[in-house]
Amino acid sequence: MKRSKALFAASKKVLVGGVDSPVRAFRAVGGDPVFMRSGKGAHLTDADGKSYVDFVLSWGPMILGHAHPAVVRAAEGALRKGSSFGAPTEEELRLAEAVREALPSMERLRFTSSGTEAVMSALRVARAFTGRELVIKFVGGYHGHVDSLLVAAGSGATTLGRPDSDGVPAAWAKTTLCLPYNDVAAAQKAFREHGRRIAAVIVEPVAANMGVVAPEPPFLEALRELTRKNKSLLIFDEVITGFRFFYGGAQTGMRITPDLTTLGKIVGGGFPVGCYGGRKEIMDLVAPLGPVYQAGTLSGNPVAMAAGLATLQVLKKDKPYARMAEMARVIVTELRGMARFKGLPVQVNHVASMFTVFFTETPVRDFATAKTSDTRMYGRFFHALLERGVYFPPAQFEAAMLSAAHSKLDLERTLEAAARALRRL
Ligand SMILES: *Cc1c(COP(=O)(O)O)cnc(C)c1O
């Protein structure tokens, strides 16, 4: 850890908190972050040369593992032709066609440079289309650092949000209604009270930013019904779930058609990409066709587009999904068994290749129940794994993920480390 520690000390003198995104600083689990030097397949190597089985996968994008040969080849090829022109290229057309083929609800779409931008732009066009201002989001849902979505639930009778970050104007937070996930009655009530003012509901179809929480039927179906009846738009934020469970979105498997969808992470193949799109009549409001302004110097960047397209092509051809889900099922089953044997309270939430270990007796179905977990115990579990070469998310309310590159051996190494880690808790 010597080199990592030295790099972190130097970074803190120039980068805010030593990092470019807060969760990387390990504040949630304590200790200093590990600086990574390289990645190959399911493995990372840190600045001191120690290797890890990676379950963070850059928080989602690296579904094929690190430095996948096809992705490297595609990005290198694009890079040699020039990395940015500020003009349309064939690469963005091909990725757009691939995305729409997999998610037909995205009749028209646009690429951005981050998931945050995609969400921000989707909300703007939703507000323009409906002529309304309010947006419903769910407590514990994360949609990037969009001002009006950095809100906490209001207190008492009001569902109108209050800022959850300094610097967010109270007036903007009040454009957001913050409701509990999986709570149909709360959504019905919000629509009864504010129906004609609600532009959109934005939701992660499988929540992954309060830890993994599956939607309980008929939660999403009810949101679809309520938005349709009230002429509001339903936005599925599939920045994590897009291409994570199958070739397509969570919407593809659930057969629920949102009006707008946001993507990011996997579609960028490890490069900075976001994407939003939906029904043609809605998206046609975006400039240059319509009055909703949205732009980006590096949007649709050809290197990123080539990497994203290569990623989708490999996913389509190799179909790694069943295998990834099966490996996750094995890990989850073993973890539950080991924890129960030790008498530890544990809930391991699990959807296909994503899972979260919560140390609590309470089944986790929304943010309130997620918060009953012992986050200090998670921190000790995390560090015990890290020490043994297994890199889990350095924060409780995040999803651990499998890639197509994880092997049986990685699984064994992980379970062995977990057995020792749990014994020490
Ligand atoms: C990561 C994430 C975002 C934000 O994407 P960035 O590329 O980090 O801006 C938005 N929504 C969800 C569901 C995410 O997981």
Side-chain angles (χ1 to χ4, degrees):
M1 299 292 278
K2 261 182 73 188
R3 180 121 187 98
S4 256
K5 281 199 185 305
L7 290 170
F8 189 50
S11 292
K12 280 195 285 194
K13 293 187 181 147
V14 55
L15 291 166
V16 182
V19 293
D20 283 317
S21 198
V23 75
R24 297 179 196 171
F26 279 25
R27 288 287 175 98
V29 288
D32 283 352
V34 180
F35 276 58
M36 295 303 173
R37 188 166 68 194
S38 63
K40 181 73 197 147
H43 303 138
L44 290 173
T45 303
D46 74 13
D48 293 281
K50 179 174 170 170
S51 83
Y52 304 86
V53 183
D54 182 18
F55 289 91
V56 180
L57 301 172
S58 189
W59 305 93
M62 311 315 297
I63 191 166
L64 299 178
H66 299 279
H68 187 283
V71 179
V72 171
R73 215 177 306 124
E76 275 179 355
L79 184 56
R80 266 194 291 271
K81 291 192 286 180
S83 57
S84 185
F85 311 115
T89 62
E90 183 168 345
E91 280 84 358
E92 62 198 309
L93 163 66
R94 299 300 168 216
L95 183 57
E97 287 173 339
V99 167
R100 189 179 63 181
E101 190 201 12
L103 290 104
S105 74
M106 299 178 82
E107 293 172 358
R108 292 292 183 277
L109 53 95
R110 176 163 287 171
F111 291 110
T112 60
S113 298
S114 70
T116 296
E117 264 182 280
V119 167
M120 186 181 79
S121 310
L123 294 186
R124 188 178 297 149
V125 70
R127 286 177 165 131
F129 184 77
T130 56
R132 303 172 179 180
E133 289 196 346
L134 294 184
V135 167
I136 290 180
K137 71 154 278 190
F138 297 92
V139 187
Y142 179 70
H143 306 287
H145 59 99
V146 178
D147 281 281
S148 66
L149 294 184
L150 292 178
V151 296
S155 53
T158 169
T159 44
L160 291 178
R162 56 190 164 77
D164 199 22
S165 160
D166 280 15
V168 172
W172 296 5
K174 286 207 178 76
T175 63
T176 307
L177 302 160
C178 217
L179 309 179
Y181 196 77
N182 271 329
D183 188 338
V184 174
Q188 287 168 335
K189 182 162 175 281
F191 271 100
R192 259 197 317 275
E193 285 171 10
H194 305 283
R196 257 169 287 168
R197 295 173 59 209
I198 296 171
V201 174
I202 184 161
V203 64
E204 294 175 71
V206 173
N209 287 292
M210 51 179 112
V212 175
V213 175
E216 295 167 5
F219 177 58
L220 296 173
E221 291 81 356
L223 296 181
R224 179 64 283 184
E225 187 64 22
L226 284 166
T227 44
R228 190 172 283 134
K229 271 201 191 133
N230 288 277
K231 297 188 164 42
S232 309
L233 301 185
L234 179 62
I235 306 174
F236 270 10
D237 183 350
E238 299 229 38
V239 170
I240 283 196
T241 57
F243 296 94
R244 166 56 47 192
F245 307 130
F246 14 70
Y247 190 79
Q251 60 189 265
T252 328
M254 294 166 173
R255 304 221 225 127
I256 297 174
T257 309
D259 301 294
L260 292 169
T261 298
T262 54
L263 296 170
K265 299 192 171 122
I266 290 173
V267 286
F271 285 80
V273 173
C275 176
Y276 71 106
R279 264 172 31 222
K280 178 179 179 309
E281 58 170 328
I282 303 169
M283 289 302 291
D284 280 356
L285 288 180
V286 178
L289 295 185
V292 177
Y293 191 70
Q294 187 266 313
T297 301
L298 291 174
S299 297
N301 174 268
V303 181
M305 297 289 108
L309 183 61
T311 300
L312 297 198
Q313 285 168 341
V314 173
L315 287 172
K316 194 173 187 186
K317 183 164 87 36
D318 289 0
K319 303 185 178 61
Y321 292 105
R323 195 179 145 269
M324 283 160 48
E326 174 56 20
M327 281 205 289
R329 196 192 60 78
V330 171
I331 294 189
V332 164
T333 309
E334 292 283 324
L335 284 175
R336 278 186 194 128
M338 290 191 273
R340 295 221 170 106
F341 184 72
K342 248 218 89 185
L344 293 167
V346 75
Q347 306 289 328
V348 191
N349 280 15
H350 169 219
V351 175
S353 59
M354 301 197 307
F355 64 94
T356 301
V357 180
F358 297 97
F359 293 103
T360 173
E361 305 273 11
T362 313
V364 175
R365 56 184 300 264
D366 57 16
F367 193 53
T369 45
K371 292 239 290 203
T372 64
S373 62
D374 184 342
T375 55
R376 309 249 309 258
M377 188 176 279
Y378 181 83
R380 292 199 298 277
F381 179 59
F382 165 82
H383 278 292
L385 287 175
L386 191 72
E387 204 176 288
R388 294 178 171 82
V390 174
Y391 188 57
F392 263 37
Q396 170 71 79
F397 304 112
E398 303 287 350
M401 300 188 208
L402 272 288
S403 77
H406 282 78
S407 69
K408 257 201 146 128
L409 202 66
D410 295 323
L411 213 69
E412 282 163 22
R413 189 170 152 193
T414 301
L415 289 172
E416 208 178 287
R420 285 162 186 265
L422 288 171
R423 227 173 283 148
R424 246 182 37 186
L425 287 186

